[in-house]
Amino acid sequence: MIYRCPNCNGALEYNPITDEMECAHCGDGYTMQEMEAGNQKQFDYASQNASVAYWNEYGMSAAKVESEDHIEENNIYAEPEIMECKIYTCTSCGAELSVNDTEVSTYCAYCGQPTIVYSRVSQEQMPKYILPFRITREQALDIVRERFGKGFLVPKEIKNFDVENVKGIYVPYFLFDAYYYDNQRITFSEGVGDKKKTRFVDFEAECEFKKISCDASKRLNDKSTQRLEPFNLDELREFEPAYLSGFYADRYDLSARQLTNAVVRRCKDLFDAEMKRQVRNENAAVLKSKPKHTIRNSEYALLPVWFLTFRYKNEPYTMLVNGQTGKAVGAVPCNKAKAGILFAIIAVVTSAILGVGGCLLYNAGVNMVVFVALLVLGLVLLLIGISQISVYKKNMKLTKLNQTARFAGERQEV
Amino acid sequence: MNIIALIIGVALGCGFALMVVGLVLKASNKMGDSKGDFTNFAGTPLRFLSKRNL
């Protein structure tokens, strides 16, 4: 389905800045209320004339039908019954496009019109909510470029990087409301030196969690998507397909039931972190735990994310930008030669100063204990450096994930 | 024994240099490590039903 401008018949796309559907040709804008209140014929170029072919799970070509998907779900825990790849006929230019089994919104590769696969967001599969994009494509690019510009060790080629593609994608999520209770025994240390004491505390506590977000796409790494949080979910809106126009979107391929374990683990992590904050001790250890939980509700929502992919030394890097808040996720590549030179210069200068200083101290008859303490200090500084570098390497691994690059890349290009 | 003082000086210098490089890397990757926390998802504050020091 394509939303058409009643003025000039151009394709309408959602504009995050004005919060309206705008025509790229004549510039006219329409609010969501106007879209809803307007004549159906005015805004919809309905898919009645589109021909759709599909293959059933046995790989046999079925008769051409004009109707929608056959995926039926009795409740939110049902699995899709048929995996399919659709050939869709663009209602604007008649080109045949292949759309994978989770794509909901895309572009025609031939005429560039934004296209919504309406059957995938209708009836049982309709998302309850959508969080519209607030960050535009240019703003997302500026956020990432500003971050690259600041890094001292960022390679020069990256500072003016050529983005391979920038895609605004509505990622499918389930939002869970849950009750969590735990009966724990924890231990932690209090005080310093002679006054240090080990304490044991038994407690029972409970809380209600609202709208814990879990990404419902098999093709995205959870560690990457969790770092996009938090979304301001107070701005969620009732779903309207028009919001998808001008962006890509996927439907879920992990059901709410399949995400239950992940949600419960998340509740536990949040609960434990808050408990440690309450006892004012990050190192508190849980010795015993008897948790109980109840999933009260789950709701299907689409949340906005910008995916920016570029190549450096033939490797793909994908930066993610929260499409609502502008939070950027992803490690910045490092110029290893520059890092090595920086290390060598600092090491030589400080070693020379400290080495000479050490000799003077020794000649002055300073106790050996001082030298042992200095050696321990050196080892501590070494460990701090190693831990920072390993955190960076872990983040870089997520940024270079082929899985994320494929999720963003394997779509129709405009 | 002067050699030991020199070795300790070099070890301290290298440790300091590695720490500086690590911190520079961390500074250029400041954003994007944090996840949503309790306050982002809590419908109610954590309510203690009982608490006992052992």
Side-chain angles (χ1 to χ4, degrees):
Chain A
M1 178 165 67
I2 298 171
Y3 287 86
R4 294 281 188 194
C5 174
N7 194 27
C8 68
N9 216 33
L12 293 172
E13 290 186 7
Y14 176 72
N15 185 327
I17 296 175
T18 59
D19 191 19
E20 285 182 350
M21 297 293 286
E22 280 186 7
C23 177
H25 295 277
C26 67
D28 271 6
Y30 306 92
T31 63
M32 285 302 170
Q33 289 76 20
E34 283 170 337
M35 297 287 293
E36 277 171 57
N39 188 314
Q40 192 74 2
K41 280 185 189 167
Q42 261 189 306
F43 289 106
D44 284 354
Y45 196 90
S47 56
Q48 293 96 328
N49 298 324
S51 61
V52 176
Y54 71 95
W55 287 261
N56 65 21
E57 61 187 312
Y58 302 108
M60 291 156 53
S61 175
K64 268 193 178 178
V65 293
E66 289 184 353
S67 64
E68 330 293 20
D69 295 346
H70 282 202
I71 293 171
E72 287 176 359
E73 296 188 33
N74 295 323
N75 57 49
I76 55 169
Y77 295 113
E79 295 286 333
E81 290 173 4
I82 300 173
M83 296 297 289
E84 56 191 74
C85 172
K86 282 207 167 208
I87 303 295
Y88 181 77
T89 303
C90 176
T91 51
S92 183
C93 69
E96 283 198 342
L97 317 164
S98 66
V99 178
N100 72 34
D101 57 1
T102 54
E103 276 186 273
V104 161
S105 175
T106 185
Y107 284 85
C108 174
Y110 297 92
C111 67
Q113 298 296 310
T115 304
I116 297 165
V117 184
Y118 186 69
S119 59
R120 290 182 175 173
V121 285
S122 63
Q123 299 170 353
E124 310 88 22
Q125 297 178 75
M126 185 187 292
K128 178 125 192 250
Y129 297 115
I130 187 165
L131 193 61
F133 273 87
R134 283 284 164 263
I135 303 289
T136 63
R137 186 180 186 277
E138 290 66 35
Q139 286 171 331
L141 270 169
D142 287 342
I143 287 166
V144 172
R145 283 216 165 94
E146 191 199 355
R147 192 156 163 213
F148 283 1
K150 279 182 182 168
F152 175 72
L153 295 176
V154 176
K156 260 187 204 162
E157 314 93 291
I158 297 289
K159 291 198 179 187
N160 300 312
F161 73 97
D162 206 7
V163 175
E164 272 196 356
N165 59 64
V166 183
K167 290 195 174 99
I169 303 177
Y170 280 105
V171 175
Y173 277 79
F174 276 102
L175 307 177
F176 291 87
D177 294 343
Y179 165 80
Y180 194 85
Y181 159 94
D182 206 350
N183 184 350
Q184 287 186 353
R185 175 170 292 173
I186 60 169
T187 179
F188 55 93
S189 299
E190 261 185 348
V192 285
D194 290 339
K195 295 180 183 172
K196 197 169 182 182
K197 274 191 277 189
T198 303
R199 287 187 57 190
F200 295 86
V201 180
D202 270 1
F203 71 88
E204 290 176 83
E206 62 179 12
C207 65
E208 294 278 353
F209 289 110
K210 291 282 178 206
K211 293 191 168 39
I212 294 186
S213 49
C214 276
D215 93 72
S217 174
K218 283 181 192 166
R219 299 195 294 150
L220 271 181
N221 187 291
D222 288 350
K223 285 180 187 162
S224 298
T225 52
Q226 277 180 4
R227 284 164 194 227
L228 287 164
E229 294 167 356
F231 289 91
N232 181 1
L233 297 175
D234 292 336
E235 292 185 12
L236 280 171
R237 295 193 185 174
E238 296 291 327
F239 176 76
E240 287 292 333
Y243 284 114
L244 303 180
S245 191
F247 299 97
Y248 296 89
D250 268 23
R251 68 175 179 191
Y252 68 85
D253 53 7
L254 285 171
S255 67
R257 174 169 279 169
Q258 287 173 300
L259 291 172
T260 303
N261 285 342
V263 170
V264 173
R265 272 199 305 274
R266 192 79 200 275
C267 287
K268 179 177 165 30
D269 291 343
L270 291 168
F271 183 94
D272 288 350
E274 178 63 7
M275 175 274 295
K276 286 177 185 177
R277 195 188 71 81
Q278 295 258 356
V279 301
R280 292 190 183 87
N281 197 313
E282 280 300 313
N283 298 318
V286 178
L287 299 177
K288 220 170 48 170
S289 170
K290 288 181 196 166
K292 290 181 196 166
H293 67 269
T294 307
I295 305 288
R296 300 225 192 267
N297 192 22
S298 63
E299 288 160 337
Y300 174 28
L302 296 177
L303 303 186
V305 182
W306 285 103
F307 289 74
L308 294 87
T309 309
F310 61 94
R311 283 195 172 266
Y312 176 62
K313 294 189 176 174
N314 275 330
E315 285 185 295
Y317 291 76
T318 309
M319 304 290 288
L320 276 58
V321 177
N322 183 316
Q324 181 199 32
T325 62
K327 180 182 180 187
V329 170
V332 179
C334 157
N335 186 331
K336 287 181 183 161
K338 211 170 174 182
I341 292 167
L342 179 69
F343 171 80
I345 292 172
I346 297 176
V348 163
V349 168
T350 49
S351 298
I353 294 169
L354 293 170
V356 166
C359 292
L360 290 172
L361 280 175
Y362 175 76
N363 290 336
V366 170
N367 203 317
M368 271 308 292
V369 171
V370 173
F371 290 100
V372 170
L374 286 172
L375 187 66
V376 167
L377 178 63
L379 287 170
V380 166
L381 294 178
L382 200 74
L383 284 171
I384 291 172
I386 289 171
S387 79
Q388 299 301 329
I389 289 169
S390 65
V391 165
Y392 165 79
K393 277 186 166 178
K394 203 170 60 166
N395 289 343
M396 184 52 74
K397 210 171 154 187
L398 282 178
T399 308
K400 284 161 71 171
L401 270 180
N402 272 323
Q403 183 186 19
T404 316
R406 278 202 306 271
F407 177 84
E410 288 173 356
R411 294 170 193 271
Q412 303 285 354
E413 299 283 348
V414 179
Chain B
M1 294 298 268
N2 262 345
I3 292 177
I4 293 177
L6 263 169
I7 290 169
I8 290 171
V10 168
L12 204 53
C14 289
F16 179 74
L18 196 66
M19 186 191 74
V20 167
V21 170
L23 289 174
V24 169
L25 268 175
K26 184 184 175 180
S28 55
N29 282 283
K30 230 181 223 173
M31 282 181 281
D33 268 0
S34 60
K35 297 191 278 192
D37 60 19
F38 185 84
T39 49
N40 297 127
F41 298 114
T44 59
L46 192 68
R47 193 166 75 96
F48 284 91
L49 302 171
S50 70
K51 199 172 179 181
R52 194 165 59 99
N53 292 320
L54 301 173

